[in-house]
């Protein structure tokens, strides 16, 4: 099957939703003469009508990949046809920075089947997108990757450099977005959200609501977990794009999730709630950074979390944020999507397929 010039096939999280950096690249390409295809497990109303939706994992999806000029993904590919010599594969990865060790750095903790899959994926990949010098070194040393690294920033984080549209909403929001545990336990999760709301409102910040967003691995069973939702504590686990929530929220409370680094880029407030810090590192995954090295205040109990909020020092926090950004040598300027689009246009100019 011949390659179709200027045809791009996108996948995000193995066909789960319309989000992450591939979404923002696709949106920026809408009016530039490309044929855009999105592989998705079920039809998604958030995807513009000008982007063709094809069911992930089907014969049709393999045909689309086989005939595309460019593949764009944010995870290791699982289902794909043999990649042709003139096809280009751009890997955005699914975090600008990360706390937990991954890929070769965690090889002994990963399933052998995944490691084989990752190595094969790395051989196919032509470009990786990096948001910092730290990530560039990681991709080069730990991803089995020998291709070109585009040091342009993270497309999904460009929206942090634009003012959120909050003109009609005076309510403030705190987003709670913990990562998952391998045993699916939520024992270490924050549950008493009312105390957090009261602490924030006690500072004179006005009316507050809590958004709770569980990790995709837990969403299907959210109703079975011990969470109490209300008008003020809202389950946002099914909201399609966490970047939009991060952009709208005034604070983030998380634990070991890479969403903390999105807040770093946005220079917005983030607190770590980590009552199981010791057990997590022993049972789950080692870290690239010690928690005390991060610019985010840490709390192990609900009482400590309240005190962090009450005693918040914005001047110190911004100073710590700037120092950590300098340490990892960030490339984030809000122009990542534009630069990736320019690269895609360069790739497609002058190519011919017979």
């Amino acid at each position: 099957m011949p390659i179709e010039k200027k045809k791009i096939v996108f996948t995000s999280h193995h066909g789960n939703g319309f989000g992450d950096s591939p979404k923002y690249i696709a949106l920026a390409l809408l009016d530039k003469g490309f044929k855009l295809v999105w592989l998705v497990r079920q039809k998604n109303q958030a995807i513009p009508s000008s982007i063709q939706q094809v069911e992930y994992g089907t014969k049709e999806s393999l045909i689309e990949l086989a005939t595309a000029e460019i593949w764009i993904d944010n995870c290791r590919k699982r289902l794909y046809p043999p990649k042709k010599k003139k096809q280009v594969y751009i890997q955005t990865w699914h975090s600008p920075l990360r706390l937990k060790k991954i890929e070769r750095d965690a090889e002994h903790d990963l399933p052998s089947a995944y490691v084989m899959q990752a190595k094969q994926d790395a051989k196919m990949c032509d470009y990786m997108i990096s948001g910092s010098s730290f990530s560039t070194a990681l991709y080069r040393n730990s991803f089995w990757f020998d291709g070109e690294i585009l040091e342009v920033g993270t497309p999904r984080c460009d929206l942090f450099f634009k003012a959120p549209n909050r003109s009609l909403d005076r309510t403030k929001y705190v987003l709670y977005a913990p990562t998952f545990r391998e045993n699916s336990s939520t024992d270490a999760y924050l549950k008493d959200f009312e105390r957090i709301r009261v602490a924030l409102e006690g500072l004179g910040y006005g009316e507050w609501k809590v958004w709770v967003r569980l990790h995709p691995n837990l969403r299907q069973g959210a109703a079975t977990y011990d969470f109490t939702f209300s008008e003020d504590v809202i389950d946002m686990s099914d909201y399609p794009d966490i970047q939009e929530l991060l952009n709208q929220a005034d604070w983030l409370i998380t634990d070991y999730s890479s969403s903390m680094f999105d807040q770093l880029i946005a220079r917005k407030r983030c607190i770590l709630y980590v009552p199981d810090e010791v057990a997590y590192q022993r049972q789950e995954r080692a870290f690239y950074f010690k928690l005390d090295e991060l610019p985010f205040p840490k709390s192990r109990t609900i009482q400590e979390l309240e005190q962090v909020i009450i005693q918040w020092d914005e001047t110190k926090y911004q100073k710590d944020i700037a120092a950590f950004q300098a340490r990892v040598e960030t490339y984030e300027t809000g122009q990542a999507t534009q630069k990736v689009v320019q690269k895609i246009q360069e790739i497609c100019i002058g190519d011919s397929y017979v």
Side-chain angles (χ1 to χ4, degrees):
M1 288 180 285
I3 295 173
E4 297 181 33
K5 187 167 178 60
K6 300 188 76 174
K7 174 178 171 179
I8 304 175
V9 176
F10 297 84
T11 316
S12 176
H13 295 296
H14 309 295
N16 291 304
F18 180 59
D20 208 65
S21 288
K23 166 187 172 178
Y24 294 94
I25 297 170
L27 293 177
L29 289 168
L30 283 178
D31 60 350
K32 295 189 166 47
F34 289 86
K35 178 180 180 181
L36 308 179
V37 179
W38 195 280
L39 305 186
V40 65
R41 293 183 183 273
Q42 56 186 5
K43 291 291 183 179
N44 191 319
Q45 294 182 349
I47 299 177
S49 59
S50 54
I51 299 177
Q52 180 185 355
Q53 297 187 49
V54 174
E55 186 177 353
Y56 176 86
T58 61
K59 179 180 178 181
E60 184 182 1
S61 71
L62 296 177
I63 292 173
E64 296 292 348
L65 286 165
T67 56
E69 184 170 11
I70 296 177
W71 298 351
I72 296 179
D73 207 328
N74 72 338
C75 294
R76 298 297 195 184
K77 283 194 171 297
R78 294 174 179 170
L79 302 171
Y80 53 88
K83 178 172 173 283
K84 298 181 178 72
K85 184 177 181 180
K86 288 191 174 182
Q87 289 182 306
V88 173
Y89 174 16
I90 300 174
Q91 173 59 249
T92 70
W93 205 243
H94 46 274
S95 62
L97 279 168
R98 67 287 313 156
L99 177 64
K100 295 172 286 187
K101 290 191 175 182
I102 56 175
E103 304 302 274
R104 180 182 282 161
D105 296 334
E107 185 170 355
H108 296 300
D109 297 321
L110 297 171
S112 58
Y114 174 82
V115 172
M116 291 178 60
Q117 172 192 339
K119 290 179 178 179
Q120 178 58 34
D121 184 87
K123 288 180 182 179
M124 295 192 300
C125 188
D126 298 288
Y127 298 96
M128 290 199 73
I129 296 175
S130 172
S132 66
S133 178
F134 180 89
S135 289
T136 293
L138 182 64
Y139 295 153
R140 186 61 71 205
N141 299 326
S142 304
F143 271 60
W144 304 283
F145 176 67
D146 295 322
E148 183 176 345
I149 298 175
L150 305 177
E151 297 177 324
V152 298
T154 309
R156 79 182 198 189
C157 293
D158 286 348
L159 82 168
F160 296 145
F161 293 82
K162 305 171 185 177
N165 183 13
R166 293 278 297 276
S167 58
L168 300 179
D169 187 356
R170 297 183 181 276
T171 304
K172 293 184 178 294
Y173 297 92
V174 54
L175 173 63
Y176 177 56
T179 194
F180 72 101
R181 307 306 192 266
E182 292 293 344
N183 62 3
S184 297
S185 171
T186 62
D187 291 346
Y189 282 12
L190 180 63
K191 303 285 177 63
D192 193 348
F193 301 110
E194 188 61 23
R195 290 179 65 166
I196 304 307
R197 282 200 337 103
V198 170
L200 289 165
E201 292 185 352
L203 296 178
Y205 290 163
E207 181 184 0
W208 282 81
K209 293 183 184 294
V210 179
W211 286 336
V212 179
R213 184 181 172 89
L214 299 179
H215 191 277
N217 288 6
L218 292 177
R219 286 178 200 166
Q220 296 301 320
T224 67
Y225 294 117
D226 186 22
F227 291 95
T228 300
F229 299 114
S230 66
E231 285 188 2
D232 295 325
V233 180
I234 305 166
D235 183 9
M236 299 294 283
S237 298
D238 289 331
Y239 191 86
D241 189 352
I242 190 174
Q243 297 306 113
E244 294 178 359
L245 297 181
L246 288 166
N247 197 39
Q248 292 290 328
D250 300 275
W251 293 58
L252 171 69
I253 300 174
T254 187
D255 43 24
Y256 317 106
S257 167
S258 64
S259 60
M260 69 177 75
F261 296 113
D262 292 82
Q263 289 294 88
L264 175 88
I265 293 165
R267 303 185 71 91
K268 294 173 70 175
R269 298 173 180 182
C270 175
I271 302 173
L272 305 184
Y273 178 68
V274 289
D276 63 340
E277 176 185 354
V278 175
Y280 186 91
Q281 291 189 73
R282 183 176 64 248
Q283 299 170 8
E284 303 268 344
R285 198 80 64 81
F287 295 162
Y288 286 113
F289 308 101
K290 295 179 180 178
L291 293 189
D292 291 335
E293 295 178 316
L294 298 174
F296 316 112
K298 181 177 68 172
S299 57
R300 295 188 181 89
T301 67
I302 186 70
Q303 293 82 7
E304 289 181 1
L305 182 55
E306 287 177 305
Q307 287 305 305
V308 168
I309 293 172
I310 293 169
Q311 299 173 7
W312 187 266
D313 185 338
E314 183 67 14
T315 300
K316 179 181 184 303
Y317 181 68
Q318 290 298 328
K319 182 179 178 180
D320 292 344
I321 286 284
F324 194 84
Q325 287 184 329
R327 174 181 173 180
V328 300
E329 297 181 358
T330 182
Y331 305 140
E332 307 291 351
T333 64
Q335 302 298 315
T337 304
Q338 176 184 333
K339 292 176 181 178
V340 173
V341 167
Q342 290 173 348
K343 185 65 179 182
I344 289 170
Q345 291 173 319
E346 291 173 9
I347 291 169
C348 293
I349 289 174
D351 289 342
S352 61
Y353 302 102
V354 179

